[in-house]
Amino acid sequence: MTLRSMRGLLACAMLLLAFGCVDALSGSGGTTGVAIYAFDSSTSTVMAWNDLGALYDAATPPAPDRTLSSNLLSKVTNLGWGGLCLDSQRNLLYLASDSGTIVRINQVRTQTGTVPNTDIISFTLSSTDRLTNGKFGQAALDVASDTLYITENGDNGTRIWVVTNASTQVQDNSIALQALQTSGDSGGTGVAAGSGNVYGFFLDGNPVGPDVLTGPRIRMGNLSAFNASGVILGSTTGLGEYGSLALDTANSNLYVARHNTDSTGTGAPVQVFRTGQFGLSYNQAPAYTVGSATDQADLRVIAHPGTKDWLVGLRGAGTTGYPTLILWKSPLGGVAAKVVTVSPATTVFRGVAMDGNAS
């Protein structure tokens, strides 16, 4: 057997491992016991529904079970797109504004009404280390390492900020720059994290590989750096503009949303890649796709509870958000999304998070 043949067999085996280790339709630990949190920028409050299944099944969307308010939430009124994430182990909710202010709500499962000052704090990402005209976007929390990640885009680059020991940050703390960045990437709008790994979406960047691939790409790395070979990009990936990421840690699936309206893209708005696909080859097709190119053409943000089988999306047009939740129950099972429009009509959602340990 030639060396080339042996390499080919090894590549095939790796692909089988990447695609076959987990049954795609097995679900992420079921669909019960999930709560959903969405931040309303029009009132600077957090809306919480304690049972996502009940919200999904209701003929008429019910009012939130809880509405959380605080003077500190006015600091994140201009929430970054996807700037909401939850630590289900430590019972914390994080909100990240597009200007770099972070608010953390403690004991979020039992909060209702005005959050006591002892249970809410705000801190900032250092103002001396910003990109020119930088704006912050999606935020993600790796529960295992207590690390918060936030994307930043500016005139002179893109990167992902790293906030270690996020649960112990204190009021008015300023976080010095620690960043994940790759040479030549641009347009970073998506981040997801879990089990010590971090994933980033970038709209473009330097050519990659012997085939000189360019365009949208997703990267895999860890707390200290992205892996140079852990990148997926190319014509078969289905990636597009304003990529938003969500990680199914139970099934090792990475959901990647694209905004078909702004990118004039066609096809499914959500691509699903196995985390095991990183490092095999660059130009790979997704393992699965989710959603309707017509009904979710303006999909801007997605979120996953990690250990339960739900996917939630938000619509967006430019800087405009809507009072709409797009709910996929058992998304890998091929179930069509249900669109829930909450009241009042002036509600503006730019961030959403789910708690898979709500009960």
Side-chain angles (χ1 to χ4, degrees):
M1 180 180 290
T2 67
L3 180 59
R4 178 175 294 181
S5 299
M6 293 176 66
R7 286 174 174 171
L9 288 174
L10 179 60
C12 290
M14 292 176 71
L15 281 169
L16 287 173
L17 286 171
F19 287 93
C21 289
V22 180
D23 178 2
L25 302 182
S26 65
S28 307
T31 57
T32 60
V34 179
I36 184 171
Y37 296 83
F39 182 72
D40 175 19
S41 291
S42 72
T43 59
S44 298
T45 59
V46 176
M47 295 181 174
W49 288 266
N50 297 333
D51 185 348
L52 180 54
L55 175 63
Y56 180 88
D57 292 335
T60 301
D65 296 295
R66 296 175 288 135
T67 299
L68 313 185
S69 61
S70 168
N71 290 336
L72 286 182
L73 288 174
S74 63
K75 293 186 175 184
V76 294
T77 294
N78 294 322
L79 195 74
W81 281 108
L84 193 68
C85 61
L86 188 135
D87 183 337
S88 60
Q89 177 177 303
R90 298 174 183 84
N91 194 12
L92 308 172
L93 185 70
Y94 292 90
L95 304 95
S97 76
D98 64 4
S99 60
T101 297
I102 314 296
V103 169
R104 187 187 71 226
I105 300 176
N106 303 332
Q107 306 300 321
V108 69
R109 293 188 184 108
T110 54
Q111 299 292 350
T112 187
T114 302
V115 180
N117 292 337
T118 53
D119 283 332
I120 187 168
I121 66 104
S122 68
F123 55 94
T124 59
L125 305 179
S126 175
S127 60
T128 61
D129 295 315
R130 305 288 181 81
L131 296 173
T132 303
N133 296 319
K135 292 288 186 181
F136 295 89
Q138 189 169 19
L141 193 286
D142 185 350
V143 173
S145 62
D146 191 20
T147 304
L148 181 66
Y149 299 91
I150 310 103
T151 64
E152 184 191 15
N153 269 303
D155 297 346
N156 54 331
T158 189
R159 60 195 176 190
I160 296 173
W161 285 63
V162 181
V163 180
T164 57
N165 302 313
S167 67
T168 61
Q169 298 299 323
V170 297
Q171 180 66 35
D172 297 328
N173 200 12
S174 177
I175 308 298
L177 176 64
Q178 179 182 345
L180 290 175
Q181 54 191 358
T182 55
S183 177
D185 281 337
S186 61
T189 57
V191 64
S195 304
N197 294 319
V198 59
Y199 305 85
F201 170 89
F202 302 91
L203 181 61
D204 208 344
N206 290 338
V208 173
D211 296 327
V212 194
L213 300 171
T214 59
R217 72 242 2 235
I218 45 177
R219 292 188 178 273
M220 179 181 180
N222 54 39
L223 184 70
S224 58
F226 282 113
N227 185 336
S229 63
V231 57
I232 295 174
L233 79 164
S235 59
T236 64
T237 63
L239 301 176
E241 195 167 354
Y242 296 141
S244 179
L245 303 184
L247 184 63
D248 174 355
T249 54
N251 283 335
S252 300
N253 288 323
L254 181 67
Y255 290 79
V256 187
R258 68 180 187 187
H259 196 294
N260 281 338
T261 299
D262 286 353
S263 62
T264 64
T266 58
V270 181
Q271 287 71 46
V272 188
F273 294 87
R274 299 289 200 196
T275 57
Q277 287 181 248
F278 287 90
L280 297 182
S281 63
Y282 297 126
N283 193 6
Q284 297 186 59
Y288 305 93
T289 61
V290 176
S292 162
T294 301
D295 296 335
Q296 289 99 47
D298 57 357
L299 186 64
R300 187 64 178 81
V301 170
I302 55 172
H304 193 285
T307 57
K308 296 294 178 71
D309 199 11
W310 287 94
L311 185 70
V312 175
L314 300 178
R315 299 171 53 222
T319 60
T320 303
Y322 298 95
T324 306
L325 300 169
I326 304 171
L327 308 179
W328 284 275
K329 186 177 182 179
S330 301
L332 292 183
V335 179
K338 180 174 181 178
V339 177
V340 174
T341 301
V342 307
S343 297
T346 53
T347 300
V348 175
F349 291 147
R350 289 167 57 114
V352 62
M354 285 177 285
D355 181 4
N357 294 328
S359 63

